[in-house]
Amino acid sequence: VRPREVWALEQVQGFIYVHVPVRALVVKLSTGLACYGAVAPTEQMLSLLEEIENETCKRLNVIILPTLATEHKLFAIALAKRRPAAELWIAPNQFSFPLNVPNDVLGLGKARLLTDNAKPTWQNELAWTRVGPILSRDGTFEEILCVHKKSRTLLCCDLLVSVPEKVPQIVVENDPRALI
């Protein structure tokens, strides 16, 4: 996205014929790399992450779970297990369905909450703010927005949605039935 500062790792997530591209953003900090909105830590994803680490001579040391959505939560937990030295920071109002269980049962036990009084060591380079929680009849929305100061890049997860006129190639290559 920004040469040698911000990288996007994309995957397709889907169920039956509904498939959507999702992305994780990796940003370079002075102390290491941060992953915002993890995708599934497949061997291919981890290989691409290692390429970024080798290129920058920095290791992934921060994982940010910026939303409450299950698909992001599961992948942040899985990535944190693959990279146990990385700090895991999460939007504070996590829940589970069909039973709402505590964060440590979900696998978020070592996670740090990005509450209004949190002071992550990376906040001077990656400014953040919390949107929400917003309660509706459909559930709760909450998202951590970040700005990578050096590249002046906004990092958001589900707050903004783009529906382009041209179908993204990643969807076409995966399963065109998703367009139905």
Side-chain angles (χ1 to χ4, degrees), residues 41-99:
T42 62
E43 292 308 314
Q44 182 183 28
M45 181 275 195
L46 293 170
S47 175
L48 292 170
L49 181 58
E50 286 176 18
E51 286 180 30
I52 296 168
E53 290 174 326
N54 292 336
E55 177 185 327
T56 60
C57 298
K58 296 184 181 291
R59 302 291 296 164
L60 179 70
N61 64 351
V62 174
I63 300 168
I64 300 170
L65 171 56
T67 183
L68 309 180
T70 302
E71 59 272 18
H72 299 288
K73 183 180 346 223
L74 296 176
F75 295 143
I77 293 167
L79 182 58
K81 286 181 180 177
R82 296 297 298 263
R83 296 299 179 92
E87 293 179 354
L88 176 59
W89 289 86
I90 65 173
N93 291 295
Q94 298 297 321
F95 65 92
S96 59
F97 180 83
L99 296 173

Side-chain angles (χ1 to χ4, degrees), residues 7-176:
W7 296 261
L9 304 174
E10 291 190 339
Q11 292 176 342
V12 173
Q13 290 181 9
F15 181 71
I16 307 178
Y17 300 130
V18 178
H19 300 132
V20 295
V22 294
R23 84 179 39 91
L25 297 172
V26 176
V27 296
K28 185 170 83 171
L29 305 174
S30 63
T31 58
L33 299 173
C35 179
Y36 175 93
V39 293
T42 62
E43 292 308 314
Q44 182 183 28
M45 181 275 195
L46 293 170
S47 175
L48 292 170
L49 181 58
E50 286 176 18
E51 286 180 30
I52 296 168
E53 290 174 326
N54 292 336
E55 177 185 327
T56 60
C57 298
K58 296 184 181 291
R59 302 291 296 164
L60 179 70
N61 64 351
V62 174
I63 300 168
I64 300 170
L65 171 56
T67 183
L68 309 180
T70 302
E71 59 272 18
H72 299 288
K73 183 180 346 223
L74 296 176
F75 295 143
I77 293 167
L79 182 58
K81 286 181 180 177
R82 296 297 298 263
R83 296 299 179 92
E87 293 179 354
L88 176 59
W89 289 86
I90 65 173
N93 291 295
Q94 298 297 321
F95 65 92
S96 59
F97 180 83
L99 296 173
N100 195 13
V101 297
N103 282 347
D104 58 340
V105 175
L106 285 173
L108 296 169
K110 74 170 196 165
R112 299 175 185 187
L113 301 179
L114 282 166
T115 57
D116 295 336
N117 59 354
K119 303 280 187 232
T121 57
W122 41 264
Q123 71 182 1
N124 290 334
E125 296 178 81
L126 194 59
W128 65 277
T129 191
R130 193 173 100 192
V131 176
I134 300 168
L135 305 174
S136 74
R137 64 182 172 89
D138 300 318
T140 303
F141 175 84
E142 182 172 53
E143 186 162 329
I144 304 298
L145 302 176
C146 295
V147 173
H148 182 239
K149 293 179 181 180
K150 186 172 183 182
S151 67
R152 298 179 7 184
T153 302
L154 172 67
L155 286 65
C156 64
C157 188
D158 294 329
L159 188 63
L160 297 176
V161 177
S162 171
V163 181
E165 289 184 30
K166 184 178 178 193
V167 177
Q169 191 62 30
I170 194 169
V171 173
V172 174
E173 290 173 4
N174 183 59
D175 190 343

